Amino acid sequence: MKKVICVVEDEKAINDLVNQYLKKEGYEVRSYYTYEEASAHVMDDDVHLWILDIMLDDKSGFDLIEEIRLQGKEIPVIFMSARDKEFDRIIGLEKGSDDYITKPFSPKELVLRVNNVIKRVYKDATNRIMIDGYELDEEQRKVFDHGKEIDLTTKEFDLLMMFIKNKGMAFNRDKILTSVWEENYFGSDRVVDDTLRRLRKKLPNLNIHTIYGYGYRLG
């Protein structure tokens, strides 16, 4: 599941640039250009991070973070501002912000700061793998599609992990049998096709290609 980031910035060029870089990093981004637009969404329960400009018309990012905190959730907040003043930084920290970046800034630096905050706050979920819109927890052997768990058999999950860990590599049936069913399997190699067919049915967006006359490849 993609992490959702809300960007509140009244300068369209900056908002669009931040949006572009964060989307490239794999985040879902929602852009708001006014205090009123953002205020209408502070109760959204699927947001993982807010990026707030301090100066917003007749209101400020400081007002907005108070609204966010009133919801009772410890959603991380990063302030960005053209005012490089220690006073603003102190107020931001006092109001519960997680970071502060001064304009003009490098979009790559902002992405790094976002990644660091996300990893720190959501550290329990950092061991999850994202592939073709699905979220995998290897430790718990679970697969999720937009938060909904998909039930896989042991071999379906093993086959999926084999492809993920070897993304871009082509495998014939014999290699797959050895990797997933191990060398002590004496049944038909059609078990590979049957298991893969079930896996594709359960995960229709999974980008596994059939290489005719040879085998299969993910990606």
Side-chain angles (χ1 to χ4, degrees), residues 139-154:
E139 187 176 318
Q140 296 188 27
R141 295 178 65 86
K142 291 182 178 181
V143 181
F144 301 90
D145 181 8
H146 294 89
K148 182 180 179 181
E149 185 177 350
I150 299 171
D151 187 29
L152 297 185
T153 66
T154 298

Side-chain angles (χ1 to χ4, degrees), residues 2 10 21 54 59 68 86 105 159 170 202-203 208:
K2 289 185 177 181
D10 54 6
Y21 270 81
I54 289 182
K59 292 276 191 175
I68 294 167
E86 184 180 5
F105 52 78
L159 181 60
K202 292 178 179 180
L203 307 176
I208 293 181

Side-chain angles (χ1 to χ4, degrees), residues 181-194:
W181 280 266
E182 301 179 349
E183 295 179 358
N184 58 357
Y185 177 78
F186 297 104
S188 168
D189 65 359
R190 302 303 299 180
V191 70
V192 173
D193 302 307
D194 293 339

Side-chain angles (χ1 to χ4, degrees), residues 2-217:
K2 289 185 177 181
K3 293 288 190 293
V4 177
I5 298 177
C6 293
V7 179
V8 188
E9 165 61 64
D10 54 6
E11 292 186 47
K12 189 176 187 304
I14 295 177
N15 198 319
D16 292 349
L17 186 64
V18 170
N19 186 309
Q20 176 188 341
Y21 270 81
L22 290 174
K23 280 183 176 176
K24 278 185 182 178
E25 194 68 12
Y27 295 108
E28 179 183 330
V29 186
R30 300 170 188 170
S31 290
Y32 305 116
Y33 299 93
T34 67
Y35 177 92
E36 287 71 22
E37 283 180 353
S39 179
H41 292 275
V42 295
M43 294 183 69
D44 291 356
D45 59 5
D46 59 345
V47 178
H48 296 88
L49 173 71
W50 286 85
I51 299 176
L52 309 179
D53 186 20
I54 289 182
M55 301 303 295
L56 294 169
D57 301 325
D58 57 337
K59 292 276 191 175
S60 75
F62 295 144
D63 297 313
L64 201 51
I65 193 176
E66 288 184 356
E67 286 196 41
I68 294 167
R69 293 290 175 250
L70 281 174
Q71 306 311 311
K73 298 177 183 176
E74 291 301 316
I75 300 173
V77 172
I78 296 176
F79 278 121
M80 53 185 180
S81 175
R83 307 190 307 186
D84 186 15
K85 295 181 179 177
E86 184 180 5
F87 179 69
D88 287 337
R89 292 174 182 269
I90 291 172
I91 291 179
L93 289 171
E94 285 180 343
K95 290 185 178 292
S97 72
D98 296 80
D99 206 346
Y100 185 108
I101 190 166
T102 304
K103 301 177 192 175
F105 52 78
S106 160
K108 290 182 179 179
E109 180 188 354
L110 178 61
V111 168
L112 286 173
R113 288 173 181 255
V114 166
N115 288 342
N116 287 337
V117 170
I118 290 289
K119 285 176 184 176
R120 184 176 73 248
V121 175
Y122 303 101
K123 55 182 179 293
D124 292 339
T126 54
N127 61 339
R128 293 196 173 185
I129 302 166
M130 297 297 300
I131 185 75
D132 296 333
Y134 301 107
E135 186 176 15
L136 287 81
D137 188 323
E138 187 179 4
E139 187 176 318
Q140 296 188 27
R141 295 178 65 86
K142 291 182 178 181
V143 181
F144 301 90
D145 181 8
H146 294 89
K148 182 180 179 181
E149 185 177 350
I150 299 171
D151 187 29
L152 297 185
T153 66
T154 298
K155 290 305 179 187
E156 287 167 358
F157 189 89
D158 290 343
L159 181 60
L160 176 60
M161 288 308 304
M162 186 211 72
F163 279 119
I164 289 173
K165 291 182 176 181
N166 299 277
K167 189 175 180 182
M169 289 182 60
F171 288 86
N172 59 28
R173 287 191 186 91
D174 288 340
K175 255 187 172 179
I176 295 173
L177 277 173
T178 301
S179 298
V180 177
W181 280 266
E182 301 179 349
E183 295 179 358
N184 58 357
Y185 177 78
F186 297 104
S188 168
D189 65 359
R190 302 303 299 180
V191 70
V192 173
D193 302 307
D194 293 339
T195 305
L196 185 57
R197 177 177 47 78
R198 295 196 307 270
L199 188 61
R200 281 171 161 167
K201 187 175 181 180
K202 292 178 179 180
L203 307 176
N205 296 325
L206 197 62
N207 192 25
I208 293 181
H209 300 278
T210 299
I211 305 172
Y212 293 101
Y214 185 77
Y216 305 98
R217 184 189 72 243

